[in-house]
Amino acid sequence: MNVALLTIWHEHNFGAFLQTYATVRTLQELGHEVRLIDYRLNDLPTHPSIRTRLLNALDQASPETKSFEHFWRLLPRTRYYRSLQELKEDPPSAELYLVGSDQVWNPRITRAKAKTFFLPFGNQQTTKAAYASSMGSDQWSGNQELTAFAEQQFQKFKAISCREKEGAESLSQLFHRHVEHVLDPSLLRQDYRELTGEISAEETLAYYALYPTPRLEQMAREIARKMELRFTDANKKWRLFGRIPWQRTTIDAWIRTIAQSRFVITHSFHGLALSLTYQRPFMVIYPKGDKRSTRITSLLDALGLSERFFASYEEALHSHIWEKEIDYTQVSQKLQALRDSSMIYLQSL
């Protein structure tokens, strides 16, 4: 079957690449021909200012962008679509349009392009479905107009799934459709050796933060000392003139840093996903009351690992959780059961 995948992918974000790559590879291994719909959240404006053009030129010349472009080339793509109107006028040819995963139904992220991620293009013969699409929290945040639009579009979907259990339940109640709970695609794969090569264990503590988080980094360094491990930053960045992003850890090095470590400290969902994939001991720290933590707590609950999540630094330090091993025999059994049910869902499309 020919599949056209719509997701959030053209970002300088490791998780965005990982979930896109994993979805494409999984569908290919199921025997499908897959193309990523080349639609991007952050295009240059039609008439950019001189400052915008200069910053874009610096960005395009940076080693960071060139590194991402190297990995983006692994993704088979359609023509480049700048707008929903272009998708309506010349939709990609496919038997299945698939949207997901990641936060494609979070209007705080998709903003003016939110409607596109409900697949309002193509002809009636093309099947439409969602895989592991997320709202970014346990509650729908669309306004009245987007809610009505989504409800109308969902009537045309063969199947809908969400990567958070709470999100699936919330969407089911709001839109009166069965919404399946499935795994984020990054967890469908056993490893990423085709990107990283062989992994060798090292005496390191891997610290992975999406953005500068001084208190979390300080705690990670402190725990590394307690464990007598070498601290490693899985998302190290270098800036030009102290402000302009220029270079950072590459995607393959990011995966290796986590995969080969003795312990992982993160606040990232995909940092957690890689820890689970490579059976690394870990702890997750996320601000208390932040609804975006649902994607993390939902997964940990399903795997019986809720004790590895902390809502404050004090709680995390007092726990001494780094001294407690994870029984990955049991965790792997639960994870495999979720993989199996998620694959059954994909095979049903």
Side-chain angles (χ1 to χ4, degrees), residues 7 15-16 18-20 22-23 26 100-103 131-134 161-164 181-189 192 269-270 273-274 277 295 299 335 338-339 342 346:
T7 190
L18 193 71
Q19 63 88 15
T20 304
T23 304
T26 300
S101 70
D102 222 336
Q103 300 181 57
Y131 181 77
S133 298
S134 173
S161 63
C162 180
R163 74 177 179 190
E164 296 90 17
H181 172 221
V182 296
L183 278 178
D184 184 272
S186 63
L187 285 159
L188 296 178
R189 308 199 60 73
Y192 291 89
F269 175 85
H270 287 103
L274 284 177
T277 298
R295 53 187 170 166
L299 177 59
L335 184 57
L338 291 171
R339 282 183 178 134
S342 298
L346 278 175

Side-chain angles (χ1 to χ4, degrees), residues 123-175:
N123 58 47
Q124 295 181 352
Q125 285 69 47
T126 303
T127 301
K128 298 179 181 181
Y131 181 77
S133 298
S134 173
M135 302 179 291
S137 76
D138 57 357
Q139 296 296 324
W140 171 255
S141 60
N143 59 24
Q144 187 174 359
E145 179 186 356
L146 185 61
T147 302
F149 183 83
E151 185 169 22
Q152 180 185 52
Q153 291 305 122
F154 279 153
Q155 294 175 11
K156 305 172 186 177
F157 277 54
K158 177 182 179 180
I160 305 171
S161 63
C162 180
R163 74 177 179 190
E164 296 90 17
K165 183 179 180 181
E166 297 84 352
E169 292 170 351
S170 177
L171 288 169
S172 295
Q173 293 173 5
L174 180 62
F175 293 108

Side-chain angles (χ1 to χ4, degrees), residues 231-244:
F231 173 90
T232 55
D233 187 345
N235 190 20
K236 191 172 183 180
K237 298 180 181 180
W238 297 263
R239 294 182 179 274
L240 195 64
F241 310 123
R243 295 178 58 191
I244 301 171

Side-chain angles (χ1 to χ4, degrees), residues 52-159:
T52 299
R53 283 183 296 202
L54 177 59
L55 290 174
N56 182 66
L58 283 170
D59 175 72
Q60 293 304 307
S62 72
E64 176 181 356
T65 294
K66 293 185 183 303
S67 173
F68 272 94
E69 288 175 343
H70 168 76
F71 287 97
W72 288 336
R73 283 194 287 272
L74 301 176
L75 305 170
R77 306 201 294 269
T78 66
R79 55 156 283 202
Y80 177 32
Y81 293 93
R82 289 188 61 90
S83 67
L84 174 56
Q85 187 59 37
E86 287 187 7
L87 279 163
K88 288 181 175 179
E89 292 173 355
D90 182 25
S93 176
E95 296 165 87
L96 170 67
Y97 288 157
L98 186 66
V99 62
S101 70
D102 222 336
Q103 300 181 57
V104 292
W105 293 339
N106 183 351
R108 291 184 293 270
I109 290 177
T110 54
R111 302 185 300 277
K113 296 186 175 184
K115 289 184 177 179
T116 307
F117 292 90
F118 295 93
L119 306 177
F121 52 86
N123 58 47
Q124 295 181 352
Q125 285 69 47
T126 303
T127 301
K128 298 179 181 181
Y131 181 77
S133 298
S134 173
M135 302 179 291
S137 76
D138 57 357
Q139 296 296 324
W140 171 255
S141 60
N143 59 24
Q144 187 174 359
E145 179 186 356
L146 185 61
T147 302
F149 183 83
E151 185 169 22
Q152 180 185 52
Q153 291 305 122
F154 279 153
Q155 294 175 11
K156 305 172 186 177
F157 277 54
K158 177 182 179 180

Side-chain angles (χ1 to χ4, degrees), residues 204-250:
T204 57
L205 181 147
Y207 162 72
Y208 177 50
L210 298 170
Y211 44 82
T213 312
R215 183 66 182 90
L216 183 61
E217 181 177 346
Q218 179 187 0
M219 192 189 72
R221 290 182 181 276
E222 183 177 341
I223 292 174
R225 286 193 294 270
K226 291 177 183 291
M227 298 183 70
E228 298 183 348
L229 299 175
R230 178 167 54 87
F231 173 90
T232 55
D233 187 345
N235 190 20
K236 191 172 183 180
K237 298 180 181 180
W238 297 263
R239 294 182 179 274
L240 195 64
F241 310 123
R243 295 178 58 191
I244 301 171
W246 186 248
Q247 191 169 359
R248 71 191 290 196
T249 304
T250 60

